[in-house]
Amino acid sequence: MERTSEPGKVDNLVIKVDDLSGSGIQVLLEQHLAFCRSQSPPGSVHALDIDALRDREGLVFWSALLGERVVGCIALQELDPSHGEIKSMHTARAARGKGVGKALVVHLLAEAQARSYERLSLETGTMAGFAPARRLYEGIGFVPCAPFGSYFEDPNSVCMTKTL
């Protein structure tokens, strides 16, 4: 599914399913991994590399583009028929603060609702570098929750969820 931004949102932003084969998304995912590794101790890095993303059953990946430039990404992992997880949400440095991240999360919420999920959850870091992401999620209605799936209690990690 491909969607362009709504009036008043990020002008000309296109969000489309991505097969992870393009160089633009590969570079962005490398930047995402490098950022996560720079912010979190090794045992607390839950970001997936491109091969792990390709191998995940039940995962759909989207890229956000402005023209031909990949400016963000997000994935939806089905945990069970009523529960999905946000994975690999990242906005390119040059596009931060412009609404790309919010557009991606709103897109994923619509997809989760179309799948009749009852809730959508995520994991992110507790370090200062992840504060903008936590504020974004909180502003959309996500609240802290207990670890879910394969996550565990970790002072470097926070799990959040939103009832749909």
Side-chain angles (χ1 to χ4, degrees), residues 30-51:
E30 288 171 11
Q31 292 169 353
H32 175 61
L33 265 180
F35 170 79
C36 292
R37 289 176 176 153
S38 75
Q39 297 293 309
S40 304
S44 296
V45 177
H46 300 289
L48 301 174
D49 66 23
I50 199 161
D51 291 329

Side-chain angles (χ1 to χ4, degrees), residues 1 3 105-116 120 164:
M1 177 171 157
R3 180 180 302 172
V105 175
V106 167
H107 175 83
L108 210 69
L109 283 167
E111 180 67 24
Q113 289 172 324
R115 293 178 179 203
S116 300
L120 188 60
L164 304 177

Side-chain angles (χ1 to χ4, degrees), residues 68-117:
E68 297 296 315
R69 197 174 54 150
V70 177
V71 294
C73 61
I74 198 164
L76 178 59
Q77 174 72 59
E78 182 168 291
L79 299 175
D80 66 49
S82 66
H83 188 194
E85 178 185 3
I86 294 175
K87 299 292 292 178
S88 300
M89 204 292 269
H90 191 77
T91 302
R93 184 179 309 273
R96 292 182 188 156
K98 296 178 175 24
V100 172
K102 183 174 184 178
L104 284 163
V105 175
V106 167
H107 175 83
L108 210 69
L109 283 167
E111 180 67 24
Q113 289 172 324
R115 293 178 179 203
S116 300
Y117 289 169

Side-chain angles (χ1 to χ4, degrees), residues 99-161:
V100 172
K102 183 174 184 178
L104 284 163
V105 175
V106 167
H107 175 83
L108 210 69
L109 283 167
E111 180 67 24
Q113 289 172 324
R115 293 178 179 203
S116 300
Y117 289 169
E118 295 172 11
R119 73 182 174 129
L120 188 60
S121 301
L122 62 97
E123 178 280 333
T124 192
T126 58
M127 289 64 71
F130 294 102
R134 291 191 307 272
R135 283 192 301 274
L136 169 66
Y137 297 131
E138 289 167 356
I140 295 174
F142 284 84
V143 295
C145 67
F148 61 92
S150 62
Y151 297 109
F152 49 88
E153 289 292 335
D154 180 350
N156 301 301
S157 181
V158 61
C159 291
M160 303 177 83
T161 196

